[in-house]
Amino acid sequence: MTVIQGARVDTEEEILSLYRAHLSKGRATLAELFGSHMEVESSGAWLTTSDGERFLNAGGYGVFIMGARHPIVMEEVERQLRTHPTATRILLEPTVARAAEALVSVMPEGLDRVHFALSGAEAVETGLKLARAGGRRRTVAMLGGYHGKTLGALSATSKEVYQAPFRPLLPDVRHLPFGDPEALEAELRAHPGEVCVILEPVQGEGGVIVPPKGYLKRVEELVREYDGFLVLDEVQTGFGRLGEWWGADTEGVVPDVLLTGKALGGGVLPVSAAVATRKAFRPFDKDPYVHTATFSGQPLLMAAVQGAVRAVKEERLVSRSMDLGARLLSRISEIAHRNIPGQLVEVRGRGLLIGVELVEAGLAGELLIELFNHGVVANHSMIGSSVVRFTPPATLTDGDVNYFLDSFDQATRALLSGSATMPEGGN
């Protein structure tokens, strides 16, 4: 199929060749596995390809908690685009101030200082730098944790294949078992006043790993007892994804820095933030040039943040995420246990972050393809590679839910029969 853009006509074959020539041969090969479809339009929970096929988007790595092109977000962004999309960074500019105010209004109490960035990895770098500036030169992250792929963030990310080509990374970084407060206490006790602890409330890329109840609170208590510094990475889990505004809220935790991203741009623009306590943020308060970025707080992005906060509040998407997540988790588990008991390890999740773990990574890949064959986009987990991950919008209608569950039922039946095939259009 072709897509006409002005005087240019795009075909799947031409776009594939451009991927190979200028982007990534690996990405082109991956696209071919999914039939070389070319996505050209999105709205709500649905995306449309160049050949007119529609797919329910239960993927997007956590970006689309309010779906694609939410009208409230689009309204804010379009108004800003028409007036003042990019600022000088010298004068006062109201949208960044209002965006910070909006974001702080939904944060755990005490987190009221904001640094905006573009990617989740940049937010992680901000948190790590605040820890360093506060004297914590050692970092503890968790096995199975994912924090991005810039050098500092990659040092905390726990996967050998991502780290190996880029060593040496940051020194004095240790990875401990997720969910094990005793191991953490031993490390903190050995280095009082020196340790920054960074972790996710639920490990997303790790395969939707939910820690034992009370673990996050115990981590906070230990960090305070041994004068550490706590960075909570909520780039994927935050903004209502877990059925609370933040995973921190599930156990009443207030970290030194909370990181957010993905959904923060309302599914329209890329934006992230590190939100800190006044004490933790003090090094950045002293010198406004010690940690900067050209597009930090760009007005167009800040309009998206304001729209995103408005949309979640006005449509009560946090409670919808909790209710819808419980409904989906139960039904996904029921279908998986009925259709693929021999291939299934576990179905687990919280809110609208749901993982289906299979006995091997290859089966997870086959299930992703079968889901696509039946009209659903999902994600693999970059660290827990045997886990298929669902992060659908909280705006799903009953019809969307029924479509998703029917597709999952058909995809798992096809997986059981060993009939996973390349989607139509593949080479």
Side-chain angles (χ1 to χ4, degrees):
M1 291 292 293
T2 61
V3 177
I4 299 174
Q5 298 188 19
R8 189 179 68 245
V9 176
D10 290 329
T11 66
E12 288 89 342
E13 293 77 13
E14 182 182 10
I15 297 304
L16 267 176
S17 69
L18 290 173
Y19 265 69
R20 288 195 181 93
H22 305 303
L23 295 170
S24 165
K25 292 179 181 178
R27 289 295 295 272
T29 300
L30 181 62
E32 287 179 302
L33 287 175
F34 286 87
S36 301
H37 288 270
M38 187 163 60
E39 58 182 271
V40 295
E41 187 179 339
S42 59
S43 180
W46 295 85
L47 64 86
T48 304
T49 62
S50 57
D51 53 7
E53 287 193 69
R54 297 178 75 235
F55 294 84
L56 183 71
N57 186 4
Y61 298 97
V63 168
F64 297 104
I65 191 67
M66 61 206 74
R69 296 197 301 120
H70 192 286
I72 291 177
V73 182
M74 293 297 290
E75 173 192 341
E76 296 280 0
V77 169
E78 288 170 354
R79 180 169 53 244
Q80 193 66 39
L81 182 62
R82 290 192 300 267
T83 56
H84 187 51
T86 303
T88 66
R89 300 294 310 281
I90 297 296
L91 308 178
L92 289 174
E93 195 283 308
T95 61
V96 66
R98 292 301 184 189
E101 178 186 45
L103 184 53
V104 166
S105 76
V106 297
M107 280 283 158
E109 188 173 355
L111 295 170
D112 60 7
R113 310 291 277 185
V114 183
H115 174 82
F116 286 109
L118 297 180
S119 69
E122 287 179 90
V124 170
E125 298 286 348
T126 302
L128 294 176
K129 286 179 72 175
L130 280 170
R132 290 290 182 99
R136 278 67 170 207
R137 299 306 175 104
R138 306 180 69 88
T139 301
V140 167
M142 303 301 154
L143 294 169
Y146 182 88
H147 303 286
K149 296 188 180 112
T150 54
L151 283 178
L154 181 59
S155 302
T157 290
S158 170
K159 188 158 185 174
E160 171 69 16
V161 70
Y162 297 151
Q163 287 193 348
F166 306 107
R167 291 195 174 111
L169 300 171
L170 291 184
D172 299 322
V173 179
R174 285 206 62 190
H175 288 87
L176 301 178
F178 185 59
D180 185 347
E182 288 77 20
L184 178 61
E185 183 171 15
E187 183 70 17
L188 289 166
R189 187 190 303 118
H191 305 283
E194 299 179 27
V195 178
C196 166
V197 177
I198 181 168
L199 78 165
E200 303 154 89
V202 174
Q203 290 186 332
E205 299 296 346
V208 191
I209 307 300
V210 181
K213 186 176 180 180
Y215 171 68
L216 285 183
K217 192 64 180 177
R218 183 59 181 148
V219 168
E220 181 189 34
E221 291 168 352
L222 289 170
V223 169
R224 300 299 170 232
E225 181 178 351
Y226 293 100
D227 190 26
F229 191 96
L230 180 57
V231 178
L232 202 58
D233 184 344
E234 300 236 33
V235 169
Q236 184 165 172
T237 60
F239 231 73
R241 176 60 60 186
L242 301 183
E244 299 279 356
W245 268 104
W246 312 102
D249 296 335
T250 63
E251 296 189 6
V253 170
V254 181
D256 295 288
V257 184
L258 188 150
L259 312 176
T260 178
K262 295 193 185 291
L264 183 61
V268 175
L269 291 170
V271 59
S272 65
V275 188
T277 64
R278 204 164 285 260
K279 179 181 178 182
F281 200 78
R282 196 170 295 153
F284 289 4
D285 263 340
K286 289 180 180 178
D287 183 349
Y289 294 107
V290 73
H291 182 70
T292 60
T294 300
F295 294 108
S296 173
Q298 190 223 42
L300 194 64
L301 307 182
M302 298 301 95
V305 170
Q306 292 179 71
V309 174
R310 269 187 60 204
V312 174
K313 283 183 175 181
E314 292 179 14
E315 298 194 3
R316 302 187 178 187
L317 296 185
V318 173
S319 60
R320 287 179 67 176
S321 179
M322 178 180 289
D323 296 343
L324 184 57
R327 178 181 171 190
L328 285 176
L329 182 64
S330 173
R331 292 287 289 118
I332 290 170
S333 181
E334 176 189 325
I335 292 168
H337 279 92
R338 180 181 70 236
N339 289 355
I340 51 170
Q343 292 76 32
L344 181 68
V345 175
E346 186 181 19
V347 176
R348 55 182 176 261
R350 181 176 289 169
L352 289 174
L353 179 57
I354 298 171
V356 177
E357 183 175 359
L358 302 170
V359 294
E360 61 180 56
L363 282 172
E366 290 181 23
L367 181 55
L368 281 171
I369 291 173
E370 278 301 341
L371 284 163
F372 191 80
N373 286 340
H374 292 90
V376 170
V377 175
N379 291 132
H380 72 293
S381 296
M382 284 192 281
I383 292 179
S385 56
S386 61
V387 177
V388 171
R389 184 162 34 119
F390 298 112
T391 53
T395 54
L396 294 182
T397 65
D398 286 344
D400 296 337
V401 170
N402 291 336
Y403 179 93
F404 171 80
L405 292 172
D406 183 60
S407 296
F408 182 71
D409 184 38
Q410 294 182 62
T412 48
R413 288 176 188 273
L415 185 70
L416 182 64
S417 68
S419 62
T421 58
M422 186 177 293
E424 185 178 350
N427 296 329

